[in-house]
Structures are given as C-alpha cells and as structure tokens.
Amino acid sequence: MRGWQIDTLGHPARLVTLPDRDPARGEARVDIAACGLNFADLLMAEGKYQDRPALPFVPGLELAGTVADLGPDTAGPAAGTRVAIYAGHGGLAERGCFPVDSLIPIPDSMTLAEAAGFQIAYGTSHLALEYKARLQKGETLLVLGAAGGVGLTAVEIGKRMGARVIACARGAEKLQIARAAGADEVIDSDHPDLKGALKALGGVDVVYDPVGGDAFDAALRATRPDGRILAIGFASGTVPQVPANILLVKNITVIGFWWGGYLAFAPQVLRDSLATLMRWYDEGGLRPHISHRLPLERLPEGLELLRSRAATGKVVIETA
C-alpha cells in the first residue's frame, strides 16, 4: 500500500510503499478514504508537537474510512461500517490498523471527506467553548484565526450557543467566509489597532485564540472583567507571554486547551462531546467547510496551504 512516511524530523515526508499487516487483537483494519490535515501535522514533522511518535512514522492525525476486518477475538463495528478515527498518526496511507475503541461510526448523511476533518476542528471548539470557557448565551465571543480549520468551527458553534460572535481573519474573502458561518461582526487581522477596534465593539467576554502573538496581546487588553481567554494554539509562531498583572486587575482567566489530551485523562468527556456534535450534524446544524480536497500524492501542496495560511476551513487528503 502507498503511504507517506517521516524518517527524520525536520525533513519532508516521503511517499513510499508500506507493508500491510493484519490487525492484532483489539484492532480493526480500515481502508482509509480521507485524512484531514491540521497545523499539528506541520509541528509533528518538525518534532515541535507535544505528541511525538517514534520514528519512522506515518503522519496524519485524523481520518475516515471503512472497516475491512477485525483482529482475533475482537468485537467492533462490522466490516463495511464507515468510521471516523482520531489516530494521532497513521492517517496518510491507504490502509491502517487502529484500536477498535477509537472508531466512531458516522451518520449516513456525512461524507467520508467531511468525517476526516470533523473530529479535531469541531471537537476542539465544542469542548473549549462549552466545557472549559462555559460560554453563555448573550456573551461576546472573539474568534482569532476565524477562517482557519478550528477557528471557523468556533464561529459556528459559538453562534449556535447563543453568543455574539466577532470574527478576526485576514482579507475580505476570509472575513466573508466567517460571516457566512455566523459571525455578527468581522475585523481584518491586519487592522492597525485591533485592541481599539474590539473596544469600539464593546469588548469581549471570551477569546478563542489558535493564533497567539500580537493578536493575543490585543485581545487580552480588550477582554472585559471576569473574561476568559482560551489558548488553543500558536499558528503565528509566537507563544504569548501573559502579563499576570492584567489578569489580576481584570479578574481574567487564561485557559490552556489541547483536545487530544483528553484521550489520556478524560476520554469520556471527549466521546460525549463528539456524540453531541455528530447529532448536531445529522440534524443539519453544522456545515463543515472544506476549501481543498487533494489526492494522496499532493500532500506537500496541502501542507503548504496550512503553512502559508492560504486555506479556509479544512484541507483534506483523499486516498480513495
């Protein structure tokens, strides 16, 4: 089977022929149809992500496909069942073996391409906004990087939760995409005075920040007393240094959030969130946005779309 493999950190992945293997006990072999790309794929390839698989490894954190067969003495979804999987790695290949408890059957109404890019983006925004920040109806939510993979879902979910949503993204096209997802107000991230623009809109109660850098600093200073700031990621490349005096004076809480970490210490919280999100999708309440669907051999192009921040919503690599 074909698949991408990283042999050395900091060097590009190679498209190679990989050995196929039978699933072990507790595993399912899955014919992979699509893999959603994430900014974490870039970091993992450089050894800069918190999860570091042993070399060599097949990248690709999340995927969707069809169950081919199960390992010996293993109960799980029947062959032919369409599933989504958060694997951590292994998604950028034509087949793979994964623990059966990581398989999530997907609704008939959901395409495999949508399922491949659904779990991390929607799961991150739902758990972060509802479980961690306790976003309330009527509060003002600021979403930085609002046209990106996770940012766009935060706009959509924040609006569904009854918040007034301010979306911050670069350029008129991305701002229009954020507005179509439900944003009430939009601000270009190149605005010369982001703090002033946010204060002119009345300030914010909750900040959803997958960007970091200067945008975090501006958002902090526009956050109202008793506000909450979600540190989701650092796509700008700069990790903010938080001035604790501002937190103290304004009673602001900064909340770190890593969706994948819940698999280790609170997996049921994550599963319950995904069950809710799958139901919302099946009811027609969520509309995943995929800006690019590329074949397996064009993975480098897909990664460059993330690196250059040229994509909106999700980039999906299709293997079948």
Side-chain angles (χ1 to χ4, degrees):
M1 64 176 178
R2 295 184 306 157
W4 289 89
Q5 180 170 283
I6 293 177
D7 301 302
T8 305
L9 296 178
H11 291 262
R14 298 184 301 122
L15 184 58
V16 299
T17 298
L18 297 166
D20 203 351
R21 71 174 179 88
D22 294 330
R25 184 175 182 178
E27 289 185 329
R29 178 161 45 194
V30 174
D31 293 327
I32 299 171
C35 178
L37 296 187
N38 294 274
F39 195 78
D41 289 305
L42 297 173
L43 298 177
M44 190 178 288
E46 298 173 358
K48 296 179 180 178
Y49 194 57
Q50 50 263 37
D51 186 11
R52 300 184 181 185
L55 293 168
F57 68 91
V58 175
L61 277 75
E62 58 178 338
L63 60 109
T66 304
V67 175
D69 54 351
L70 301 173
D73 302 318
T74 298
T81 302
R82 302 185 323 138
V83 294
I85 304 169
Y86 174 77
H89 62 279
L92 286 164
E94 293 176 319
R95 285 182 298 281
C97 293
F98 306 98
V100 292
D101 60 6
S102 68
L103 275 56
I104 300 176
I106 63 175
D108 292 340
S109 57
M110 180 179 283
T111 69
L112 288 169
E114 289 174 325
F118 189 85
Q119 292 182 85
I120 293 176
Y122 279 100
T124 293
S125 294
H126 182 244
L127 271 188
L129 293 174
E130 183 174 76
Y131 184 74
K132 297 292 285 186
R134 309 292 184 185
L135 178 67
Q136 301 297 306
K137 183 177 181 179
E139 288 190 313
T140 296
L141 167 67
L142 168 65
V143 180
L144 301 175
V150 294
L152 201 57
T153 64
V155 172
E156 195 175 2
I157 290 174
K159 189 63 179 176
R160 183 184 177 94
M161 293 176 64
R164 172 190 179 225
V165 179
I166 301 173
C168 183
R170 179 173 287 116
E173 181 182 356
K174 290 184 176 181
L175 292 175
Q176 180 56 40
I177 289 170
R179 193 179 284 282
D184 299 286
E185 307 283 352
V186 295
I187 301 175
D188 196 299
S189 58
D190 286 333
H191 194 289
D193 182 12
L194 179 56
K195 179 187 74 171
L198 291 169
K199 286 193 170 184
L201 291 173
V204 300
D205 300 297
V206 175
V207 178
Y208 182 98
D209 180 19
V211 177
D214 293 340
F216 177 96
D217 296 333
L220 170 64
R221 286 161 172 78
T223 299
R224 296 169 179 157
D226 209 27
R228 292 87 74 202
I229 301 177
L230 288 155
I232 303 295
F234 315 107
S236 68
T238 301
V239 178
Q241 303 302 302
V242 183
N245 61 316
I246 296 179
L247 305 185
L248 184 153
V249 171
K250 296 175 70 176
N251 286 291
I252 291 173
T253 303
V254 176
I255 306 167
F257 184 80
W258 173 34
W259 182 84
Y262 279 82
L263 286 172
F265 65 86
Q268 192 58 49
V269 171
L270 189 148
R271 293 191 193 105
D272 290 346
S273 169
L274 285 174
T276 297
L277 290 165
M278 289 292 184
R279 185 180 74 254
W280 286 357
Y281 175 92
D282 205 29
E283 294 170 351
L286 299 177
R287 297 176 298 167
H289 178 85
I290 301 174
S291 66
H292 295 81
R293 295 167 60 161
L294 303 172
L296 185 63
E297 58 270 16
R298 291 173 65 184
L299 171 66
E301 181 182 337
L303 292 174
E304 183 55 34
L305 287 167
L306 297 188
R307 185 179 289 109
S308 64
R309 300 171 75 175
T312 56
K314 294 294 291 189
V315 176
V316 172
I317 302 297
E318 296 182 304
T319 58

